[in-house]
Amino acid sequence: MSYTKFSKEIRKWMKDKGISTERKSSETPEEREKALAVWQEGTKHVFNEWLDEKRYKELISCAHGGWYKESEFFEPLADFFVKEKELQCLQVLCERKIRFEIEDMLKLIKYEKDEGINITPAVVLGFDIDGYNLEKSYRPVGEIAKYRIKALDRLENYIRYLEKINADPEYSEIIITIKDKVFDLSIKKSDLKSIKNKF
């Protein structure tokens, strides 16, 4: 797994710097904070080293694993692919998470229909997502609305990346159409066939 390799290289970097990789259960909050700062420095070092070595597939795998904050890993990687005009890498990086958010939303809609509960687009579009996020309860319509918002956020970010990289207009139009269909909840699983790019 790429994350395991990535972590090993961070530990190796720490050892080369004479920094202990051992963690104590009795460490103070200050020690914990210092250790975290060192780990983040090592993460940046290995991240940049792998970029230099063009280990894009492994970096994408790490980003997909969700081990790191998106702002610290996913976004800098996407920005790098845009800068280097690496469209296929950008597609593989971004499409997977978009597809998963939409598929999870569609599965939940189908499950509720199978249970005899018809959650219409109008109900989801009119749902108070901000209020629901403050609640401690679970409501299927709230979860569907959350998946929709996450998918829309990812799609909007992706469209911005595609504009910067000057992607093929036909491909960009496919992504815009998917975004529009997620917005009004007319999206179907068959619409996602065009976003399954792999290396």
Side-chain angles (χ1 to χ4, degrees):
M1 187 182 183
S2 298
Y3 171 74
T4 306
K5 287 183 197 172
F6 194 83
S7 298
K8 277 183 183 173
E9 294 209 18
I10 295 171
R11 287 189 183 89
K12 182 182 178 300
W13 173 84
M14 289 171 71
K15 282 179 184 172
D16 291 347
K17 293 258 182 196
I19 303 166
S20 173
T21 58
E22 297 297 317
R23 301 291 302 272
K24 297 175 283 186
S25 58
S26 61
E27 67 187 6
T28 65
E30 291 80 19
E31 288 172 325
R32 198 173 303 117
E33 195 174 316
K34 187 178 175 184
L36 181 61
V38 169
W39 185 266
Q40 287 173 332
E41 188 184 343
T43 299
K44 284 179 189 169
H45 174 81
V46 175
F47 180 87
N48 289 322
E49 198 172 71
W50 281 23
L51 285 179
D52 291 343
E53 295 168 5
K54 299 189 183 298
R55 294 171 71 172
Y56 302 155
K57 190 173 181 179
E58 291 168 289
L59 284 165
I60 290 169
S61 176
C62 288
H64 286 168
W67 296 101
Y68 297 97
K69 288 181 186 174
E70 292 216 355
S71 60
E72 295 172 2
F73 207 104
F74 182 95
E75 290 170 17
L77 191 54
D79 288 337
F80 175 84
F81 291 150
V82 167
K83 182 175 163 239
E84 297 298 314
K85 306 289 184 197
E86 292 282 354
L87 178 60
Q88 188 189 11
C89 292
L90 183 69
Q91 289 172 320
V92 175
L93 176 68
C94 295
E95 287 181 355
R96 182 177 183 265
K97 291 195 173 203
I98 290 167
R99 202 173 63 250
F100 282 5
E101 297 289 0
I102 296 169
E103 285 175 350
D104 287 344
M105 180 184 75
L106 291 173
K107 280 179 200 167
L108 190 50
I109 291 169
K110 183 182 181 306
Y111 175 79
E112 291 305 310
K113 280 185 180 172
D114 291 347
E115 292 294 305
I117 301 162
N118 189 20
I119 297 175
T120 65
V123 170
V124 177
L125 296 175
F127 187 77
D128 176 16
I129 191 72
D130 293 329
Y132 178 66
N133 285 334
L134 297 172
E135 293 177 14
K136 300 255 193 255
S137 59
Y138 171 89
R139 286 197 275 164
V141 66
E143 296 306 304
I144 291 166
K146 277 165 80 171
Y147 283 127
R148 177 179 166 271
I149 293 293
K150 284 181 188 174
L152 285 172
D153 285 347
R154 289 194 184 283
L155 283 158
E156 283 169 13
N157 287 335
Y158 188 34
I159 289 165
R160 278 195 290 274
Y161 289 137
L162 293 174
E163 285 168 358
K164 288 180 188 172
I165 207 170
N166 294 322
D168 172 52
E170 193 176 320
Y171 174 76
S172 295
E173 194 54 44
I174 288 168
I175 303 303
I176 291 166
T177 300
I178 288 171
K179 189 194 94 169
D180 292 344
K181 287 184 173 187
V182 169
F183 182 83
D184 65 13
L185 285 176
S186 62
I187 192 84
K188 293 180 173 59
K189 197 167 182 181
S190 58
D191 293 319
L192 305 180
K193 286 178 184 172
S194 52
I195 57 165
K196 288 193 173 181
N197 276 291
K198 294 179 181 175
F199 283 113

